[in-house]
Amino acid sequence: MKTWMNRHSQFLIILNFFILSVLSLYIVYLQNGHIMIGDDYHFHQNRIEGLALSLEQGMLLPKVSYFFIGGYGYASSLFYPDFYLYFPAILRVFGFSLASSFVVFSVCVNFSTFVLTYISGRYMSLTKMKSYLFSLLYTLSIYRLQDFFNRQAIGELLAMGFFPLVLASLYLLKNGKEKKWLLLTVAMTGIGLAHFISLEIVSIFIGLYILFNLKRFLKKEVIVAIVKAAGVTILLLAFYLVPVFEQMKHVTFQVTANPLTLISERSYSLSELITNSFKNSVFHKSSANIGVVLLFGLAIYTLMLFKRNLPNRELVILALFFMFMTTDLFPWSFFDHTPLNTIQFPWRFLSIVTLLLAFLIANDDLGLFKKFPSSQIIVVMVIFLGVVLYEKESIDTEGKRILSYDAYDQTNSYYIGAGHEYLPKEVDYSTIKKNKERKVVYDDAKIDISNVKMDFDSVAFDYHSIDKKKTTVTIPFIYYYGYQAKIVSEGSEKIIPASLNKQNGLVAIPLSKNGSVSISYHTTLAQKISLSISVLTLSTCVTWKVATMYSIKLKRKK
């Protein structure tokens, strides 16, 4: 039996991960057909529903989701990458309920994080047992559970699945394996496809990690490898990054004109952070934490900093530094009006702290697991017990957030995120929510409009200018750069770009004479070029990787 288990250990580990992926969600997402909702659930629920409706309409790569805001449209697909949400959206298209689609998706997210963390451990020369422990400590960490259950911050949650690969990539580059640079590209691209803020956070971590290991990274081969990884990542993400910058160039959005929060206002006191971590506190506005297991690990390794020749010393120092950044001891007020303010909440850096401590504990530089062989089993049991207790406490304290699957399926398209970040600054959202009926608005003393037809993604009508001069007609779509009007007048057809109505942030069209017009969103030239660049880069990388593997295979045969 033991021989069989050793022979099939990889399969058993993967099977174990799948079982844990389901069981770790049972209390909050599966028990009695109920789901415990989180802070951001409405928005991500609507993103899935909006993407599913777009797919049903034949829009494979939508930029504006017309499910949002009762048909006014919100560019969620442009500013928030949809890549991973295609899976639950396709399930919706095939007839799964919204609740079932989300639950299946959640199991897959858990499973993927387990596997990617385990693989990362193996890249960093951890034994199978240590890699397994690394995966448990990270995937079932309290901070990640808070992201998953209490916040339902799906973008950050998905991004965290690739953090271990970043650490593994840096480990390989540090140890002279610069040919593995593509792994860093995969990790950073995976993060970028999920959550841009997490890309910022990880980039800060990478920069500091390199500084702490400058001698190892100041080599021509390693520098070239990092430049290649960064360059290819940018090219792969061009289809997302370029359109975002293009929109920012043409429109001023709420995210810059009226930011949701200042980062200095969201830091914690050190005592709060430690107390909440010691108690495995359920997430509220001021209780993000790393949990008691990782807190003890941090305490032990901090004490060991004074030990000479401590391996991975830089990881301990970085874990302490990022913990420090989470607190009000860090001078965040200097960064309120800088790009760092886009991070919004300093406690997001706990994701990096979680990663580093999970690795340090699993790697066991202090040899505690060798001295106390049963301690590994005890740690695993404490992890499992912590998950059960955390979920139970979440249910007990957040009872009002528990919905039946049927209730979860009831959507409200007017939830677009707390900060309404990507509405033009001219939009008064409270007015739109009060006046939900979408109408073409015009001055009937100057123009007569008839035969108005509103389809899923377009508005069309006939018009007759009374004084023959140009007059502006406002279309019930939120304005984004890319809206166009196709005008047929006096036997000729022309296409003109729409403009922003500076009074209300909607689409405006100047019209004169008589004719008919159809208004819809069109892919811009920059969007087309950037998508082509990303597809070409991906094709090149896949071709190069396959050719390399084939070449190695041929050499082995010889």
Side-chain angles (χ1 to χ4, degrees), residues 372-488:
F372 310 101
S374 60
S375 57
Q376 279 185 316
I377 297 173
I378 293 172
V379 170
V380 170
M381 296 307 295
V382 169
I383 293 170
F384 290 158
L385 180 62
V387 172
V388 173
L389 292 177
Y390 184 84
E391 293 186 13
K392 188 177 184 305
E393 187 179 354
S394 293
I395 294 290
D396 292 342
T397 58
E398 304 284 318
K400 61 184 180 181
R401 290 190 170 199
I402 301 171
L403 298 181
S404 67
Y405 284 3
D406 288 340
Y408 184 90
D409 289 337
Q410 308 307 310
T411 57
N412 183 337
S413 70
Y414 286 85
Y415 285 100
I416 61 171
H420 309 152
E421 284 95 339
Y422 297 109
L423 288 179
K425 69 179 178 64
E426 293 82 2
V427 174
D428 183 347
Y429 196 55
S430 60
T431 300
I432 286 181
K433 288 178 74 174
K434 287 178 184 176
N435 307 312
K436 295 182 178 180
E437 185 179 356
R438 294 171 61 222
K439 293 181 179 179
V440 176
V441 179
Y442 55 95
D443 185 346
D444 57 9
K446 295 181 178 180
I447 192 169
D448 179 50
I449 287 179
S450 59
N451 300 323
V452 177
K453 184 180 180 183
M454 294 191 188
D455 290 328
F456 178 74
D457 62 342
S458 65
V459 172
F461 53 83
D462 299 327
Y463 67 93
H464 171 71
S465 296
I466 294 173
D467 59 5
K468 306 301 180 183
K469 294 180 181 179
K470 277 190 177 181
T471 185
T472 298
V473 177
T474 300
I475 312 302
F477 286 136
I478 301 294
Y479 177 81
Y480 296 100
Y481 181 71
Y483 272 103
Q484 295 180 358
K486 183 171 75 172
I487 301 171
V488 178

Side-chain angles (χ1 to χ4, degrees), residues 222-393:
V222 179
I223 292 172
V224 169
I226 293 173
V227 170
K228 285 194 291 188
V232 175
T233 298
I234 291 170
L235 292 175
L236 287 171
L237 292 175
F239 80 98
Y240 162 62
L241 298 174
V242 171
V244 168
F245 291 131
E246 180 186 39
Q247 292 294 323
M248 293 289 194
K249 178 184 175 182
H250 290 91
V251 184
T252 302
F253 293 100
Q254 299 280 358
V255 68
T256 51
N258 185 28
L260 175 64
T261 185
L262 295 177
I263 195 167
S264 63
E265 298 171 354
R266 296 306 182 102
S267 55
Y268 296 164
S269 70
L270 181 60
S271 59
E272 264 186 313
L273 181 57
I274 292 174
T275 301
N276 288 324
S277 296
F278 187 76
K279 297 191 297 185
N280 277 5
S281 294
V282 172
F283 177 83
H284 296 289
K285 288 184 180 179
S286 60
S287 59
N289 64 88
I290 59 173
V292 66
V293 174
L294 297 187
L295 180 65
F296 271 109
L298 180 62
I300 292 169
Y301 276 91
T302 300
L303 292 174
M304 290 299 109
L305 274 176
F306 301 101
K307 182 181 177 182
R308 187 176 295 179
N309 299 323
L310 175 69
N312 294 308
R313 182 185 298 272
E314 76 278 8
L315 298 186
V316 181
I317 295 172
L318 284 172
L320 286 168
F321 179 73
F322 283 112
M323 279 283 280
F324 169 68
M325 287 184 74
T326 302
T327 71
D328 53 15
L329 298 173
F330 189 83
W332 280 115
S333 56
F334 291 110
F335 301 95
D336 280 342
H337 302 288
T338 70
L340 274 181
N341 193 64
T342 58
I343 293 172
Q344 298 176 325
F345 313 112
W347 40 260
R348 290 188 196 270
F349 286 104
L350 293 179
S351 57
I352 300 295
V353 178
T354 296
L355 171 69
L356 297 178
L357 292 177
F359 173 76
L360 286 167
I361 294 171
N363 192 39
D364 190 30
D365 288 325
L366 305 179
L368 297 177
F369 295 142
K370 286 183 179 179
K371 293 177 184 177
F372 310 101
S374 60
S375 57
Q376 279 185 316
I377 297 173
I378 293 172
V379 170
V380 170
M381 296 307 295
V382 169
I383 293 170
F384 290 158
L385 180 62
V387 172
V388 173
L389 292 177
Y390 184 84
E391 293 186 13
K392 188 177 184 305
E393 187 179 354

Side-chain angles (χ1 to χ4, degrees), residues 138-188:
Y138 183 71
T139 307
L140 300 179
S141 63
I142 294 300
Y143 180 76
R144 187 175 174 278
L145 296 184
Q146 291 177 336
D147 257 6
F148 211 156
F149 307 143
N150 308 107
R151 293 181 60 217
Q152 280 189 1
I154 300 302
E156 186 174 333
L157 180 74
L158 288 164
M160 280 187 71
F162 291 90
F163 283 15
L165 276 184
V166 172
L167 185 60
S169 304
L170 295 174
Y171 172 89
L172 292 171
L173 290 172
K174 173 185 168 184
N175 288 284
K177 297 183 179 179
E178 62 277 353
K179 292 183 179 179
K180 297 287 187 180
W181 63 269
L182 193 59
L183 186 65
L184 182 57
T185 297
V186 171
M188 294 298 282

